[in-house]
Amino acid sequence: IRLEKIGEGMRKIIACLDIGSFSIKLVVGEITKNKVNILACAESPSQGIKKGYIVNPESASIAIKDVFSKCENMLGLPIKSVLLCVPTDNLECFVSSASVNITNEDNVITHDDITKAMQKSIYKKIDDNKELVTILPTKFIINDDEVVSNPVKCVAGKLTVNVVAVVVPKINTDNIIKFLSKLNIKVLDICIEPINDYYEFKRPEYAKSVGAVVNIGYSNLTVSIINKGILTSSEIIDIASSSIDKDIAYVFKELTTNYIKENFTCADIHMARPSESIVIKDINGDDRKISEYEATNVAISRLKELAGLIKKQINLLTKKEISYIIITGGVTNLPYFEHFIQDNFKDLANYEVVKELGVRDNRYSNVVGAIKYYNSRLKLRNVEISIFDLEQQEELGGTSKKVNISENSLLGKIYGYFFDN
């Protein structure tokens, strides 16, 4: 994608698209002083989509166009380029390293030297059927003996970089990118849920320890291990919050929807009220009265099973001591979910909530975190870039809506880690 350089007074705006099993979410955020201000946010029910993959192009097209239309109406501008959250199925992480000689006149390490070393570290190491998601440095060594956190401007004859590269099968990316292209939507770069969620909720102390990131989605849950800010492994379990809906439907002979779970359950049985009830039509057409206590009891039974699976998967993914667990996803919006976390994970897990005004809902942790992650990849750049030209930015106008985006596919993937820690 050919992008315009950002001129003086222009702002950074990044759009991110998440095509989920339950809903499609599009968020447009402006980066100001390393914080994300939400300019537009929209959600539409998923159609023609299963576990992040397009299964019915015609229905998917309608759903995706709808979410873009909603955001574009808020901004008054067409959104033509986005970050894309892709499925993490069969994600792989591998370690590598490479060295480059510093050949400029003063032997001062530059941004270009870092880029060359990181590109060299993955050269011919990614299979043709794999797509690079991100490449993150774990260590910089100058002159074979000195470890530094940020090699820029260091004087040296040689730079060595150790990295972790993250790849996914191209089947996770190619079809959806081509599909979006037919809708005249360009994909700036791809990103994945575990890293996005980490960036949404990370704390300074996380960069020095090993932790787990868990996203309880609608059709599956993802458990990932983060070692000192670096994704090292991830696994998907094919059971998640939709199982609660199915359990409620089975027990109360209700049509399978998420209405009762979303509006009439909580995550602590002691807080559920037996006196509060709702009357529904069951599958036989008969009236059925369900108390909040009864519905919550069904939901918590499944939540406890999910908690057990999460613990087991963490133990399978790493033998290192876990210092923290980030748990997010739509189901964490249930009232008193912090009680459930405390009961099942004690002090290891923190109850986190997306705090950005306009998206205070954990269903958006993936997309908001992606904007933060992507911005962090660009911190080594001396020149910012934008998908909007000056005329478009002036059209957006206003003090709260000033447009700009920055990106570069490979460079965006490899920049910024050591500035975050």
Side-chain angles (χ1 to χ4, degrees), residues 154-188:
C154 290
V155 177
K158 181 181 179 182
L159 171 67
T160 300
V161 59
N162 296 344
V163 305
V164 171
V166 181
V167 297
V168 295
K170 282 192 173 180
I171 191 174
N172 295 22
T173 63
D174 285 3
N175 290 341
I176 182 61
I177 290 174
K178 291 176 182 177
F179 180 80
L180 291 174
S181 178
K182 292 178 181 178
L183 300 179
N184 295 317
I185 301 166
K186 297 177 181 179
V187 174
L188 294 175

Side-chain angles (χ1 to χ4, degrees), residues 4 10 76-77 388-397 403:
E4 299 289 337
M10 296 174 69
L77 278 177
F388 293 99
D389 59 27
L390 183 59
E391 183 179 346
Q392 289 174 309
Q393 296 200 21
E394 290 175 348
E395 184 179 346
L396 183 64
V403 179

Side-chain angles (χ1 to χ4, degrees), residues 48-90:
I49 297 158
K50 184 175 182 181
K51 296 185 178 181
Y53 298 94
I54 305 295
V55 294
N56 185 320
E58 184 175 350
S59 297
S61 177
I62 293 172
I64 291 172
K65 286 179 179 178
D66 180 61
V67 79
F68 271 82
S69 177
K70 290 175 180 177
C71 274
E72 289 170 348
N73 286 339
M74 297 177 193
L75 294 171
L77 278 177
I79 301 168
K80 296 298 183 182
S81 303
V82 296
L83 299 178
L84 175 66
C85 301
V86 299
T88 57
D89 303 72
N90 300 307

Side-chain angles (χ1 to χ4, degrees), residues 278-338:
I278 186 174
V279 176
I280 66 164
K281 291 285 185 182
D282 65 19
I283 56 176
N284 298 316
D286 299 325
D287 288 342
R288 189 179 184 98
K289 187 177 182 180
I290 304 172
S291 74
E292 184 181 76
Y293 183 90
E294 291 173 317
T296 295
N297 195 40
V298 174
I300 288 178
S301 295
R302 182 63 74 174
L303 283 173
K304 287 181 177 178
E305 180 188 2
L306 295 179
L309 291 172
I310 290 168
K311 294 175 186 177
K312 182 177 180 180
Q313 190 61 61
I314 290 173
N315 289 331
L316 289 173
L317 289 175
T318 183
K319 300 303 179 186
K320 294 183 178 181
E321 182 180 357
I322 294 293
S323 298
Y324 66 88
I325 303 174
I326 296 171
I327 301 179
T328 186
V331 75
T332 64
N333 292 322
L334 288 178
Y336 308 109
F337 198 84
E338 64 271 28

Side-chain angles (χ1 to χ4, degrees), residues 94 147 152 240-241 255 261 293 302 334 362 367 385 395:
F94 68 87
V147 177
V152 176
S241 66
L255 295 175
K261 179 188 71 184
Y293 183 90
R302 182 63 74 174
L334 288 178
N362 279 4
V367 278
I385 46 183
E395 184 179 346

